[in-house]
Amino acid sequence: MLQAVATVDSRGESVTENSSISSPAHSAERPQLAALKARPHAEVLIIGGGINGIGTFRDLAMQGVDVVLIERSDWASGASAASSHMIHGGIRYLENGEFRLVKESVNERNGLLRIAPHYVKPLPTTIPIFSTFSGITSAPLRMLTHRQGKPKERGAALIKVGLTIYDSFSRGGGVVPRHRFIGKRASLKALPKLNPNVKYTTTYYDGSLVNPERLALDVLLDGVAAGGERARAVNYVEATGAADGKVQLRDNVSGEQFDFTADVVVNASGPWTDLTNQALGAATRFMGGTKGSHIVVDNPELFRACAGRELFFEHRDGRIVLVYPLHGKVIIGTTDLEQDMTQPIEVTEDEIDYFFDLVKDVFPSVPVDRSQIIYRFVGVRPLPRHDDTQPGFVSRDYRIVDSPIPGLGATKVLSLVGGKWTTFRALGQQLADETLARLGRSRRRSTEGVAIGGGVDYPTTPEGKAAWGAQHAGGVGAERARVLLNRYGTKAARIIEALGAEDEPLASVPGYSRGEIAFIAREEQVVHLIDVLTRRTSIAFRGLATGEGVTEIASVIAAELGWDEARRDDELKDAATQLYEQHGVDLGLAAA
């Protein structure tokens, strides 16, 4: 097994020593980086390429603003890569009294089902209920005090009230059915493996985010297309300091440093916001994120037990948890634990035991064990500082704070505190409006209702998909065209055109071709092998990453990006190390 020494950087992320990430010998300058250095000024510099920074970038680009987005690692590689793969209104936030956030979230959920139908799908969500009136008195107390107290099960009456309010926020704009209650007999008929002590189940709908990182990439590339030369986005570039009115940037591939100026700087680095401000020379204490871990298991019995729906329920400690079938596997999550952002972020063995325990609560006859784990992932929610407030009651809402940086002089600096996947479009619009105000400019257009990436003209019916596949069969055939449509939305048309009649399958990764991987490497700002395995595709998530497969993919990328043998070998070592240390995936590659 590959062994590597890991250190922790200023944002608390694991970085492997001797990695090609910081090796000047392997740094052919990227065109995006060259464009940044050629014109080291923009009206707006956004620091942080998670979904909220990306959404703000797209919005500002659509307003004609000269905007630059940088990300110290890859796009959507931090908190945005560790979501529960849901677009949801946040029914449990009602108990916190966050009615504004829930209403906005429901509206945005409905909107994303329309504008990003290739990656956001209706998700039937079932809550198993084991009592009738439990929690009816304690819930208002929790809302008032934001303290858990002794865990008290939420019964059918309380859940009914919450779902009725929840459905009301969709009135007039709903695109999913309203909730439905059924009794014990019907519940066990629909879900035979469900805990037989269940009294009721209720099913409502939220959104399944089937591929978060690819949706983020679509939003990013839409912004680049909208702004042209006035919208520049560069990954693997970090803000390391500020002096004399300039932000000091570092290319994390070559190690080269250079200065950049902007009229407005937006800090959208999520849970690392305080650490980014600290690096720029200002001490802030805005953030208090909590860690959320997940595991992905290959367990066909558990997958069948879910019957195509997410199980969303209350564990014995009062924490709301989930069991969620996706891509033929099952996600189990999540935790809500305090996290020091200067320390490594990892899924612990105690958390895994917790996940197995919660599965027993809902599907007691379905065995789950560590041998079935194919992937694990963890992130930190970008929550505001909360001191004594318990993690489950910390506000999930967001705010924008003026946060001057002494070294930047008159440059205006905004810090984003909070935010989540579901509301990224609305948040991006509000943050863009605040930025436009600092520039003395006005909005040209709204992003509301504007289709994203491969969601443009996406067919949502089986008949429509079949017709699209037949129309775009090209040299790949109608069946393969439909596979690519499901994977990339209507942007698959460009891939099919590029492939022509050359669509040689990868020998060791089912469902992918050499030409497809080459297109991704060429067109989607790939810098490292790990970018393709974990973010441009779901290969690692689905348990398809093997030593043989990753080596084959590395060879395709090397040929496309001009890597020499040494660079390819370094990329293999880095990918193997990151997959093992961060996701529990052992490729079986021996260290050179």
Side-chain angles (χ1 to χ4, degrees):
M1 182 174 65
L2 179 70
Q3 298 293 321
V5 179
T7 58
V8 177
D9 72 359
S10 64
R11 283 194 350 189
E13 295 184 349
S14 177
V15 176
T16 305
E17 293 182 0
N18 301 319
S19 165
S20 66
I21 287 175
S22 57
S23 175
H26 294 324
S27 59
E29 186 163 86
R30 296 161 281 153
Q32 294 85 6
L33 179 65
L36 193 66
K37 292 164 56 181
R39 187 164 62 86
H41 176 80
E43 289 178 289
V44 180
L45 171 65
I46 302 172
I47 302 170
I51 187 56
N52 292 315
I54 289 172
T56 306
F57 169 77
R58 171 182 180 251
D59 194 303
L60 287 170
M62 290 171 62
Q63 313 315 316
V65 173
D66 183 10
V67 57
V68 163
L69 172 66
I70 60 169
E71 161 58 41
R72 66 171 298 281
S73 184
D74 190 25
W75 307 120
S77 61
S80 298
S83 77
S84 296
H85 289 63
M86 296 165 57
I87 294 294
H88 64 99
I91 183 173
R92 73 184 188 88
Y93 307 155
L94 292 173
E95 203 168 77
N96 295 6
E98 295 190 272
F99 294 99
R100 188 214 70 80
L101 176 62
V102 176
K103 188 175 190 306
E104 179 182 73
S105 298
V106 169
N107 288 338
E108 291 301 306
R109 176 204 69 192
N110 292 344
L112 285 169
L113 285 165
R114 292 189 181 99
I115 66 176
H118 57 319
Y119 294 137
V120 182
K121 318 280 187 180
L123 176 64
T125 304
T126 294
I127 304 174
I129 306 168
F130 298 91
S131 69
T132 304
F133 297 107
S134 178
I136 200 73
T137 57
S138 58
L141 185 62
R142 285 198 296 265
M143 184 171 70
L144 290 171
T145 65
H146 284 192
R147 296 185 184 278
Q148 178 70 48
K150 186 178 180 180
K152 188 75 171 177
E153 183 181 359
R154 298 162 178 88
L158 179 62
I159 292 171
K160 178 68 175 177
V161 170
L163 282 172
T164 300
I165 297 171
Y166 195 64
D167 283 343
S168 74
F169 289 138
S170 278
R171 190 169 298 151
V175 292
V176 297
R178 297 172 72 85
H179 78 275
R180 178 172 175 260
F181 264 82
I182 58 175
K184 176 172 185 171
R185 181 177 298 180
S187 296
L188 293 175
K189 183 178 180 181
L191 298 165
K193 295 288 186 178
L194 195 61
N195 189 326
N197 294 323
V198 71
K199 286 190 173 182
Y200 320 89
T201 59
T202 183
T203 298
Y204 67 100
Y205 281 76
D206 267 327
S208 170
L209 180 54
V210 298
N211 201 323
E213 295 88 345
R214 286 216 60 90
L215 179 56
L217 187 68
D218 269 9
V219 176
L220 175 82
L221 296 179
D222 281 358
V224 172
E229 293 182 356
R230 290 173 62 81
R232 293 170 288 167
V234 193
N235 51 354
Y236 293 98
V237 170
E238 183 172 6
T240 59
D244 302 322
K246 302 173 182 178
V247 179
Q248 295 152 1
L249 302 182
R250 180 177 65 221
D251 172 22
N252 282 338
V253 177
S254 67
E256 180 184 4
Q257 301 193 50
F258 56 98
D259 291 336
F260 196 87
T261 60
D263 302 319
V264 179
V265 172
V266 175
N267 180 355
S269 52
W272 295 275
T273 293
D274 289 329
L275 293 179
T276 298
N277 283 337
Q278 180 181 333
L280 295 177
T284 59
R285 299 182 70 205
F286 298 141
M287 308 305 297
T290 64
K291 182 178 76 164
S293 296
H294 305 76
I295 58 174
V296 181
V297 298
D298 186 2
N299 183 321
E301 184 178 3
L302 183 60
F303 184 83
R304 290 191 299 270
C306 293
R309 61 184 81 186
E310 175 192 46
L311 276 294
F312 190 65
F313 57 100
E314 180 180 12
H315 195 34
R316 274 169 267 139
D317 60 358
R319 169 73 189 148
I320 302 298
V321 292
L322 58 92
V323 179
Y324 172 17
L326 184 66
H327 298 311
K329 316 303 179 187
V330 183
I331 302 175
I332 306 171
T334 174
T335 49
D336 201 0
L337 304 171
E338 301 287 355
Q339 174 67 41
D340 181 346
M341 294 308 298
T342 65
Q343 299 301 310
I345 305 162
E346 59 186 5
V347 181
T348 66
E349 294 303 310
D350 285 345
E351 287 176 299
I352 292 174
D353 289 336
Y354 177 85
F355 294 145
F356 292 161
D357 194 39
L358 71 86
V359 172
K360 290 178 185 176
D361 271 3
V362 69
F363 292 125
S365 66
V366 179
V368 184
D369 61 55
R370 278 173 168 75
S371 70
Q372 298 163 352
I373 300 174
I374 59 170
Y375 194 71
R376 59 185 75 182
F377 60 100
V378 59
V380 177
R381 303 171 183 88
L383 305 181
R385 186 174 185 85
H386 50 271
D387 298 320
D388 293 334
T389 301
Q390 292 188 347
F393 289 98
V394 180
S395 174
R396 265 55 175 177
D397 212 340
Y398 55 86
R399 70 179 191 273
I400 299 157
V401 184
D402 280 293
S403 44
I405 302 293
L408 292 181
T411 299
K412 300 172 179 63
V413 182
L414 300 174
S415 292
L416 172 64
V417 181
K420 63 194 189 88
W421 253 105
T422 302
T423 56
F424 79 83
R425 189 213 61 82
L427 182 156
Q429 184 160 294
Q430 182 174 334
L431 185 48
D433 283 341
E434 294 279 353
T435 304
L436 289 168
R438 303 308 189 278
L439 293 172
R441 297 179 57 169
S442 57
R443 172 171 292 278
R444 289 182 180 179
R445 58 181 298 195
S446 172
T447 57
E448 188 170 6
V450 178
I452 294 171
V456 176
D457 298 326
Y458 181 78
T460 56
T461 65
E463 297 79 10
K465 291 178 181 179
W468 193 96
Q471 181 185 353
H472 294 84
V476 303
E479 183 177 349
R480 173 69 170 154
R482 287 195 297 272
V483 169
L484 295 174
L485 173 68
N486 286 332
R487 193 171 286 165
Y488 305 107
T490 53
K491 292 178 73 172
R494 282 194 63 218
I495 299 176
I496 293 168
E497 182 181 2
L499 291 174
E502 302 296 326
D503 191 33
E504 180 186 351
L506 289 172
S508 45
V509 185
Y512 286 87
S513 74
R514 297 178 66 85
E516 181 182 353
I517 297 299
F519 180 92
I520 289 170
R522 180 172 66 250
E523 300 290 337
E524 296 186 346
Q525 297 193 14
V526 168
V527 175
H528 294 293
L529 173 60
I530 194 68
D531 301 342
V532 173
L533 301 175
T534 59
R535 289 177 287 276
R536 304 303 185 276
T537 73
S538 58
I539 287 171
F541 181 96
R542 295 164 58 200
L544 300 177
T546 63
E548 184 181 7
V550 170
T551 300
E552 185 179 11
I553 290 170
S555 295
V556 174
I557 297 173
E560 190 62 40
L561 298 186
W563 294 347
D564 60 19
E565 187 175 349
R567 169 70 185 266
R568 186 203 62 189
D569 289 347
D570 279 350
E571 291 290 341
L572 278 167
K573 293 174 188 177
D574 289 339
T577 301
Q578 290 189 55
L579 286 173
Y580 182 71
E581 293 182 348
Q582 298 175 20
H583 303 295
V585 177
D586 187 355
L587 296 181
L589 295 175

